[in-house]
Amino acid sequence: MKLTNPSELKRLLEPYGFSFSKSLGQNFLIDENVLDSICESANLTENSGVIEIGPGAGTLTRELCKNAKKVIAIEIDKALLPVLKESLAEFDNVEVINSDILKTDLQSIINDKLNGLDIAVAANLPYYITTPIIMKIFEERIPVRSMTVMVQKEVADRMTAKPGTKDYGALSVAVQYYSKPKIVCSALPHCFMPQPKVASIVVNMDIPNEPIIKVKNEKLFFAVVKSAFGQRRKTLVNSVSNSPYINISKQDITKVISDMGLDINIRGERLSLEQFGELSDRLSEI
Ligand code: SAM
């Protein structure tokens, strides 16, 4: 079975009367090179346990099954369950769970089904919930070593953006706080069925046990980052002092920024991850 072949994919789906749902972000991968790139960069071994988000018809799932010890595929669309039963019939190391990834207790799944394995997440993500999925995996601190995901190009640009660029924002800082993201390859609309309107990129994130920088108060760190990018045209001093989550006077914030050797009129978008860390550490001591 070669599901990157559009006629084979259609032949699999047709008997089940399956029709693609736009609102569930169903654009199935039909490009072999992109499929290989996702699998290679996920760096799977015989000790890997993979969580796949949104298996669709099982195209990527089949490759993951060939390269990992166990695969748990979480799919929201009931209509795809019989399709997956057929496309994954030859593998005994896969389990499909019918649920919404955002409501799924991933830690319990790891404890119950992937215990002792090196956990990787792999997915061609449904684009309408890309950021909530990525943030869920980071914030729940589940022991995932790497995440390899297909996302919309604009999101990949934001995830990997450097300070001072137009794409640099709260998502860049969050992703680069929890992981080391790198771009693997791009996928134009013709790599999917049906074709999406946007270009896509595969991003691989190595996730260390501890975040990339150490901060004294993580909640304050993210409140500072959120406020700094919430009002991009304002100076950092004004954005942070206007934040409803940070109760520190404008005068104190100005002093901290100046003590850091920064221009007091600087905008948040110019601060590196380390500088955001230093700023929130200094503010936590006020
Ligand atoms: N992995 C397949 C592929 O590459 O061909 C399908 C990828 S398609 C872009 C996204 C998949 O995510 C669809 O199968 C869709 O039904 C599923 N999906 C959408 N929302 C979901 C959710 N909240 N939880 C789990 N799966 C979801």
Side-chain angles (χ1 to χ4, degrees):
M1 191 179 280
K2 201 174 167 77
L3 297 177
T4 44
N5 177 331
S7 9
E8 275 207 44
L9 179 57
K10 276 186 198 151
R11 222 176 8 251
L12 168 72
L13 295 171
E14 249 163 34
Y16 299 100
F18 177 78
S19 56
F20 290 93
S21 157
K22 225 180 188 169
S23 61
L24 288 178
Q26 290 177 341
N27 301 95
F28 294 177
L29 192 58
I30 50 164
D31 185 284
E32 188 125 15
N33 292 330
V34 175
L35 189 63
D36 290 347
S37 296
I38 297 177
C39 285
E40 256 168 52
S41 63
N43 213 0
L44 304 176
T45 69
E46 66 276 12
N47 199 40
S48 297
V50 183
I51 297 175
E52 188 196 0
I53 300 157
T59 316
L60 173 60
T61 327
R62 288 170 55 83
E63 292 314 303
L64 298 171
C65 289
K66 290 177 199 165
N67 291 290
K69 172 112 180 184
K70 179 122 202 233
V71 178
I72 303 292
I74 300 168
E75 174 57 61
I76 198 171
D77 188 356
K78 267 199 174 63
L80 285 165
L81 301 184
V83 175
L84 286 163
K85 200 165 179 200
E86 181 176 338
S87 67
L88 302 175
E90 71 202 73
F91 300 100
D92 58 8
N93 60 340
V94 60
E95 193 177 323
V96 175
I97 297 179
N98 178 217
S99 82
D100 178 345
I101 183 67
L102 295 179
K103 296 184 184 146
T104 304
D105 180 352
L106 292 174
Q107 186 63 61
S108 298
I109 289 181
I110 292 172
N111 295 345
D112 298 347
K113 301 173 193 290
L114 300 172
N115 201 7
L117 301 179
D118 294 336
I119 311 296
V121 167
N124 169 15
L125 287 177
Y127 292 169
Y128 74 105
I129 42 169
T130 302
T131 307
I133 294 175
I134 292 174
M135 291 315 293
K136 172 187 167 84
I137 287 162
F138 286 145
E139 286 170 355
E140 290 184 0
R141 292 276 154 83
I142 51 170
V144 171
R145 291 218 174 158
S146 79
M147 191 164 14
T148 308
V149 287
M150 173 91 72
V151 299
Q152 212 171 309
K153 181 182 179 301
E154 286 68 20
V155 177
D157 289 344
R158 282 163 49 212
M159 289 165 70
T160 53
K162 297 282 168 252
T165 62
K166 72 170 182 13
D167 294 317
Y168 188 62
L171 180 67
S172 327
V173 178
V175 168
Q176 293 168 37
Y177 172 75
Y178 288 111
S179 76
K180 285 186 183 295
K182 60 173 193 288
I183 288 184
V184 175
C185 67
S186 57
L188 292 172
H190 69 258
C191 298
F192 302 87
M193 190 168 87
Q195 296 193 10
K197 289 206 172 68
V198 293
S200 304
I201 298 267
V202 176
V203 180
N204 170 267
M205 289 160 271
D206 260 342
I207 311 174
N209 289 337
E210 297 296 328
I212 304 296
I213 60 161
K214 209 172 165 52
V215 296
K216 291 185 174 145
N217 180 337
E218 201 168 75
K219 217 170 142 195
L220 178 62
F221 170 75
F222 280 110
V224 169
V225 171
K226 205 169 164 193
S227 66
F229 292 104
Q231 300 156 306
R232 285 185 91 105
R233 300 174 57 114
K234 288 198 173 167
T235 63
L236 183 61
V237 172
N238 282 336
S239 331
V240 176
S241 59
N242 284 337
S243 165
Y245 308 104
I246 303 168
N247 194 14
I248 300 174
S249 73
K250 189 169 170 176
Q251 202 182 1
D252 284 341
I253 295 166
T254 310
K255 181 170 184 322
V256 165
I257 288 175
S258 147
D259 287 351
M260 282 174 66
L262 298 172
D263 181 340
I264 56 162
N265 293 315
I266 196 168
R267 290 193 180 150
E269 67 207 28
R270 303 219 73 88
L271 262 64
S272 65
L273 172 68
E274 290 74 15
Q275 286 172 320
F276 274 118
E278 183 181 347
L279 173 60
S280 84
D281 280 357
R282 285 179 184 244
L283 293 175
S284 76
E285 271 154 17
I286 288 175

